[in-house]
Amino acid sequence: MTLITEVGLRRVLDSRGNPTVEADVHTESGGFGRAKAPSGASTGEHEAIELPVSEAIANAREQAVPRLVGEVYAGDQRSVDAALHAADGTDDFSGIGANAAVAISMAAAKAAADVLGAPLFQHLGGTFRGDELPTPLGNVLGGGEHAADATDIQEFLVAPVGAPSVEDAVFANAAAHAAVADILEERGHACGKGDEGAWAPSVSDAEAFEIVEGAVDAVEEEVGFEMRFGLDVAAAELYDGDEGVYQYIDGDRSRDEQIEYVAELIEEYDLVYVEDPLDEEDFAGFAELTDRISTDTLICGDDLFVTSVDRLEEGIEQGAANSILIKPNQIGTLSDTVDAIELATESGYDAVVSHRSGETEDTTIAHLATATSAPFIKTGAVGGERTAKLNELIRIEHNV
Ligand SMILES: O=C(O)[C@@H](CO)OP(=O)(O)O
Ligand SMILES: [Mg+2]
């Protein structure tokens, strides 16, 4: 093992043009790792705290760097992450910022992999990992907090479940993204893209379902393997806690109506995946919906679980959802992230490793999904910060 000798922190750009934290970790034997923090727009109430970048960098330099340099081995991820927690001193990373913490945590893992001369997924998951690669969920149309004047449902996600390889899956998703554009043009809906590169037309959710279904059918015929689709409802953003209703452009839905609506959508469109169908505090509602639908559909908690072992434990106890979205910056370190994935897997919950709407060219999540044999990865369909991860998965598949 090799000691950390230097940690560099700087402000760099993310895909929305906002500043984010980049960390460099150097080790005694010449290992080097660099990682960047992503950033959410539809963030969960219980996520670890992202500090303004200059504050996160200043606090991490003062509190965390002295606990790492000359003190901790880069390959000892638990100690790296324990040092970050100790430096922070809070339970939500509001001391040094989850953005600084996650960048350092991931950069240390990359430095350790560099020392080994192994790909990051192998350092994180072991030598027998890398054969089972995740199916990419591709965001092809959406709105919510990711685009103004578009759909209420945040993300329509295509899922090439029958693809024989990651490479085929990635290209099928890109084809679906293009097919959505063709249908939008035919219907006269000129539009731009949202934060994750998905088309953001000013259409009703009902019309969006028709468009995405048409695109999925067309691509399925072209590629000759099964394509399905799913959603990130991001329902916490639609929920009005005072009124106790979900506010859609076409009217309000009560909690019961929301459960009914989502269950009907699953049935009608044979949805393979539904993320955050209910408000982030409604464990019981998640349980009710999960109970109602077939096990073939993943009901995934994002804002519900925020990659937290504590919240996942609560969900397991109540039978809420059958899948967890995994975002390292929601919890702040790789150790906490892997703990959540392992608890999920042991408990029969599928882990879906995810990007954020604000991203960079960092590819750590492609390796994390591979290392943990996650069945799905959600990382967009097109756009440089999205293709960075997708192309990395293709490289992992090709063993290069
Ligand atoms: O809600 C989500 O799942 C994510 C990523 O798609 O969005 P954000 O990063 O804005 O929270
Ligand atoms: Mg989400």
Side-chain angles (χ1 to χ4, degrees), residues 42 146 154-155 157 196 231-235 273 275-276 300-303 325 327 330 354-356 378:
S42 66
H146 294 171
Q154 183 178 282
E155 299 166 28
L157 299 153
E196 298 181 357
L231 309 171
D232 181 0
V233 181
Y273 178 83
E275 182 181 322
D276 283 351
C300 184
D302 169 16
D303 294 346
L325 204 71
K327 294 167 166 169
Q330 279 184 328
S354 174
H355 65 169
R356 300 307 305 249
K378 184 173 91 153

Side-chain angles (χ1 to χ4, degrees), residues 19-345:
T20 190
V21 180
E22 178 173 85
D24 288 355
V25 168
H26 296 264
T27 79
E28 207 168 24
S29 59
F32 171 69
R34 172 173 290 163
K36 283 170 265 298
S39 176
S42 66
T43 46
E45 191 60 33
H46 301 280
E47 288 192 24
I49 304 296
E50 175 187 303
L51 289 180
V53 168
S54 51
E55 202 178 324
I57 290 177
N59 294 1
R61 275 190 189 135
E62 194 178 313
Q63 305 295 336
V65 175
R67 289 175 187 262
L68 293 164
V69 172
E71 301 288 331
V72 177
Y73 295 99
D76 182 359
Q77 191 69 40
R78 291 268 174 211
S79 295
V80 170
D81 295 339
L84 291 170
H85 276 293
D88 177 74
T90 72
D91 58 8
D92 58 7
F93 272 117
S94 51
I96 62 171
N99 38 350
V102 82
I104 295 170
S105 180
M106 298 191 305
K110 288 185 181 182
D114 186 37
V115 170
L116 295 170
L120 178 60
F121 77 82
Q122 232 170 57
H123 167 55
L124 294 176
T127 191
F128 296 109
R129 292 294 165 84
D131 290 337
E132 285 169 56
L133 295 171
T135 299
L137 297 170
N139 190 357
V140 294
L141 190 157
E145 290 296 297
H146 294 171
D149 192 25
T151 53
D152 282 325
I153 291 176
Q154 183 178 282
E155 299 166 28
F156 287 76
L157 299 153
V158 291
V161 291
S165 68
V166 158
E167 186 181 337
D168 288 305
V170 164
F171 279 93
N173 284 358
H177 187 269
V180 167
D182 290 343
I183 299 174
L184 286 168
E185 199 186 330
E186 273 162 34
R187 293 183 175 221
H189 300 303
C191 70
K193 294 176 185 172
D195 286 350
E196 298 181 357
W199 300 108
S202 180
V203 299
S204 67
D205 287 8
E207 185 170 4
F209 274 99
E210 284 173 22
I211 293 166
V212 174
E213 191 181 39
V216 165
D217 288 348
V219 173
E220 188 171 58
E221 198 158 308
E222 191 184 309
V223 296
F225 53 74
E226 190 185 3
M227 298 276 297
R228 289 171 68 184
F229 73 104
L231 309 171
D232 181 0
V233 181
E237 304 294 341
L238 301 170
Y239 189 63
D240 178 337
D242 296 333
E243 303 290 326
V245 294
Y246 293 86
Q247 295 181 319
Y248 288 83
I249 294 164
D250 59 5
D252 293 350
R253 287 189 173 88
S254 69
R255 174 177 178 272
D256 287 351
E257 286 166 346
Q258 175 74 1
I259 293 174
E260 187 63 34
Y261 172 55
V262 174
E264 279 169 12
L265 290 173
I266 291 171
E267 173 104 357
E268 184 171 354
Y269 295 99
D270 189 26
L271 300 178
V272 69
Y273 178 83
V274 181
E275 182 181 322
D276 283 351
L278 291 151
D279 180 57
E280 61 202 322
E281 306 301 346
D282 194 0
F283 282 90
F286 269 81
E288 212 177 297
L289 180 67
T290 310
D291 209 36
R292 229 183 110 156
I293 51 103
S294 92
T295 50
D296 183 40
T297 303
L298 294 192
I299 302 295
C300 184
D302 169 16
D303 294 346
L304 179 75
F305 293 139
V306 292
T307 317
S308 149
V309 162
D310 291 347
R311 290 189 64 91
L312 178 59
E313 274 170 353
E314 171 79 36
I316 291 165
E317 210 172 285
Q318 294 202 34
N322 54 23
S323 166
I324 177 174
L325 204 71
I326 296 291
K327 294 167 166 169
N329 81 321
Q330 279 184 328
I331 197 73
T333 73
L334 275 181
S335 300
D336 293 291
T337 304
V338 171
D339 286 346
I341 297 175
E342 286 184 345
L343 174 62
T345 310

